[in-house]
Amino acid sequence: MTGELEHRVRQALLDARQTLALGEVGTLGDRLARLRSEVEDAPYVDDERRRLLELCDAALKRVAWAEKQRRATRE
């Protein structure tokens, strides 16, 4: 279970990089937030959980920044 969740988090990060490179944000933030919630509830050792949460948080910050930039260019 935990290995599969880690794989999904890492795949979501790769997808986020590609999506943000294309300038599309869409529902990416929601997807990352759901994964983050799954990581919080998963039976990980604290260090593993902290590392995956940091990855999720970094991706969510990138998405928030991209959304802000996108809104600024529309105005």
Side-chain angles (χ1 to χ4, degrees), residues 4-47:
E4 184 256 332
L5 181 57
E6 181 173 358
H7 175 73
R8 288 179 33 225
V9 167
R10 292 191 176 282
Q11 185 60 51
L13 294 173
L14 290 173
D15 293 347
R17 286 185 188 123
Q18 292 172 346
T19 300
L20 294 176
L22 295 172
E24 301 172 6
V25 178
T27 60
L28 186 58
D30 294 335
R31 178 179 172 205
L32 290 167
R34 282 191 306 272
L35 277 172
R36 187 187 192 289
S37 179
E38 284 185 52
V39 169
E40 287 178 331
D41 296 337
Y44 277 108
V45 176
D46 286 340
D47 289 340

Side-chain angles (χ1 to χ4, degrees), residues 68-75:
K68 183 178 175 183
Q69 292 298 107
R70 187 174 168 190
R71 274 188 251 122
T73 59
R74 287 184 177 177
E75 297 175 352

Side-chain angles (χ1 to χ4, degrees), residues 51-63:
R51 181 177 52 84
L52 289 176
L53 288 173
E54 287 173 357
L55 290 173
C56 290
D57 289 344
L60 285 166
K61 286 179 185 178
R62 287 183 191 138
V63 169

